[in-house]
Amino acid sequence: MKKNTSLIILLIFLASIAAQDKPIVFGASGGFYHPIGSLGDRFQSTFGGSVFLGKAVSDNWTWTGKLEYFKFSDPNSDNFIVKRQVEVSGETVPFETKLKDLRIELEVVGLAANANYEIFDTELFRTDFKFGFGIYRWFYPRGGYNDTIKVTSPTNPSASVNIPIVVPAVSQVDWSGGINLGLEFQIKIIEAVSFTMGADYKIIFAEIWPALELGLENISSFQMINGNAGIRIQL
């Protein structure tokens, strides 16, 4: 239901901008996605890209529809640590171990409606405040893990136990809504073409399940800072 409602609202916005008798804008950009919060504990930064098409609806407002793709595939392995307390010959022994070669990814495809509001404009330079909302399809595969850790008593080196860590693979696929806001700077190259730079805060309202056996807490939302640069054409 949430997916259908978000998609209907998005299509209404895109239809409304298509009906306006104003200049058409389109372009593409590449982006650097830096995860923050619990998502940053799980993944390192990545790159992605987007294409957009829309129209100016007034002298200050421009609405666009944007198709976006990015994929987090570089795990933040330094945070993947299992901590436990085990009994060794009647003694409670704390231990911790880093997980080796745990495979995780987060792939996201989104369709969003975005609004740019002009706050400063000259013949060569323009600054916009921008915000938007969209619907995102995301895929989160996590590989299985199978290892055995030997824990030795610190007071009796001859006493030890083997601790198995066995967790099956899991995969999540879902639709989620999201919002973004930020600033965009446009440098006019020629009359119809501008080079753009910008930065956004983006949040996707999605949840990744915990894997407590692996020391991985749940992720309650996908939060990130997105820096981007590209080309914008207005006709």
Side-chain angles (χ1 to χ4, degrees):
M1 182 63 70
K2 290 182 179 179
K3 176 190 74 173
N4 293 337
T5 302
S6 300
L7 189 57
I8 290 171
I9 294 174
L10 182 59
L11 291 174
I12 290 173
F13 267 105
L14 296 180
S16 67
I17 64 175
Q20 299 290 329
D21 186 19
K22 290 288 184 178
I24 295 174
V25 297
F26 61 95
S29 66
F32 177 76
Y33 295 79
H34 178 68
I36 58 177
S38 55
L39 188 66
D41 293 336
R42 192 76 56 93
F43 293 101
Q44 298 189 48
S45 303
T46 191
F47 293 92
S50 64
V51 293
F52 64 88
L53 172 65
K55 276 191 175 185
V57 295
S58 71
D59 292 338
N60 298 102
W61 288 95
T62 301
W63 277 96
T64 59
K66 182 173 75 171
L67 179 65
E68 182 177 23
Y69 173 83
F70 55 93
K71 181 179 181 180
F72 294 105
S73 55
D74 193 3
N76 205 343
S77 301
D78 288 343
N79 291 332
F80 296 174
I81 300 174
V82 175
K83 298 180 180 181
R84 294 187 188 174
Q85 290 189 338
V86 298
E87 292 289 329
V88 182
S89 296
E91 180 183 6
T92 300
V93 178
F95 86 96
E96 64 179 52
T97 182
K98 282 190 175 182
L99 301 179
K100 304 173 183 178
D101 304 321
L102 178 64
R103 184 184 65 85
I104 60 170
E105 294 179 346
L106 176 61
E107 187 174 11
V108 181
V109 180
L111 180 62
N114 287 271
N116 281 39
Y117 179 76
E118 177 192 303
I119 56 179
F120 179 78
D121 189 26
T122 69
E123 291 183 0
L124 298 176
F125 187 79
R126 170 173 165 167
T127 302
D128 288 358
F129 170 73
K130 60 179 181 177
F131 64 90
F133 65 93
I135 183 73
Y136 297 86
R137 181 69 165 174
W138 57 272
F139 311 84
Y140 174 75
R142 174 180 56 75
Y145 196 83
N146 190 337
D147 196 8
T148 300
I149 309 300
K150 183 178 181 180
V151 181
T152 302
S153 168
T155 59
N156 182 7
S158 63
S160 64
V161 295
N162 291 324
I163 305 300
I165 303 177
V166 181
V167 179
V170 68
S171 181
Q172 287 182 252
V173 181
D174 207 348
W175 293 90
S176 299
I179 58 175
N180 62 274
L181 57 90
L183 292 174
E184 181 177 271
F185 307 96
Q186 301 174 22
I187 301 173
K188 298 173 185 178
I189 302 174
I190 58 176
E191 183 177 355
V193 181
S194 298
F195 173 73
T196 66
M197 297 179 294
D200 294 83
Y201 167 75
K202 182 191 298 291
I203 180 170
I204 299 173
F205 302 103
E207 181 178 11
I208 291 177
W209 303 326
L212 300 181
E213 190 77 7
L214 298 175
L216 301 179
E217 301 289 342
N218 75 304
I219 296 176
S220 57
S221 62
F222 305 162
Q223 299 183 65
M224 64 203 76
I225 302 297
N226 171 217
N228 52 78
I231 295 294
R232 180 181 186 272
I233 301 172
Q234 178 171 309
L235 301 178

